[in-house]
Amino acid sequence: QVQLVESGGGLVQGGGSLRLSCAASGRTFTVAGVGWFRQAPGKERELVAAISSNGGSTNYADSVKGRFTISRDNAKLTVYLQMNSLKPEDTAVYYCALDPTYYSWNYVPSSSSEYEYWGQGTQVTVSS
């Protein structure tokens, strides 16, 4: 069983920055792809960024490319999402999720259906 706990959300002005953290329990984390998703009120959940188990490969949604950076520290069982140049449209609940199926060290899971474990979410609010 894997547990994921997000932290780092909050209220920030447009143009500001936040760093989200996702702390995992269980050694499965070190061989698993991890993604950050977000869901705004009235909108579908979307994949924001994802990272392979070795951290060598990443994917980003077009809306956040160049502004967000996903990274991981397998020794600390933690994944981070550095969010810069935040916009009001980034306001959402952000979730981290883990795909426990190992394919290769550089595989990045891209579909929400691949993720089996989910955190409880952290609210990010960007004011204009």
Side-chain angles (χ1 to χ4, degrees):
Q1 187 73 10
V2 175
Q3 291 185 329
L4 303 172
V5 179
E6 302 98 334
S7 61
L11 174 64
V12 64
Q13 283 191 330
S17 299
L18 284 174
R19 188 175 83 154
L20 305 183
S21 298
C22 173
S25 64
R27 300 305 298 180
T28 300
F29 174 88
T30 61
V31 296
V34 178
W36 282 99
F37 291 77
R38 67 185 180 188
Q39 187 165 23
K43 294 188 177 181
E44 292 187 357
R45 182 175 59 193
E46 63 170 337
L47 178 63
V48 175
I51 190 166
S52 61
S53 57
N54 68 351
S57 297
T58 57
N59 282 339
Y60 294 93
D62 288 343
S63 58
V64 306
K65 282 181 181 176
R67 299 189 298 123
F68 290 11
T69 302
I70 188 171
S71 62
R72 66 190 295 162
D73 185 336
N74 282 350
K76 295 182 178 179
L77 304 184
T78 302
V79 171
Y80 305 97
L81 185 67
Q82 178 67 43
M83 305 186 294
N84 298 329
S85 302
L86 283 161
K87 305 175 181 180
E89 50 263 45
D90 294 318
T91 295
V93 178
Y94 284 71
Y95 301 89
C96 71
L98 184 145
D99 170 15
T101 303
Y102 174 78
Y103 296 100
S104 68
W105 291 113
N106 61 354
Y107 178 76
V108 181
S110 59
S111 169
S112 62
S113 62
E114 297 182 83
Y115 292 89
E116 183 173 336
Y117 298 99
W118 295 80
Q120 83 289 350
T122 185
Q123 176 70 45
V124 171
T125 303
V126 184
S127 63
S128 56

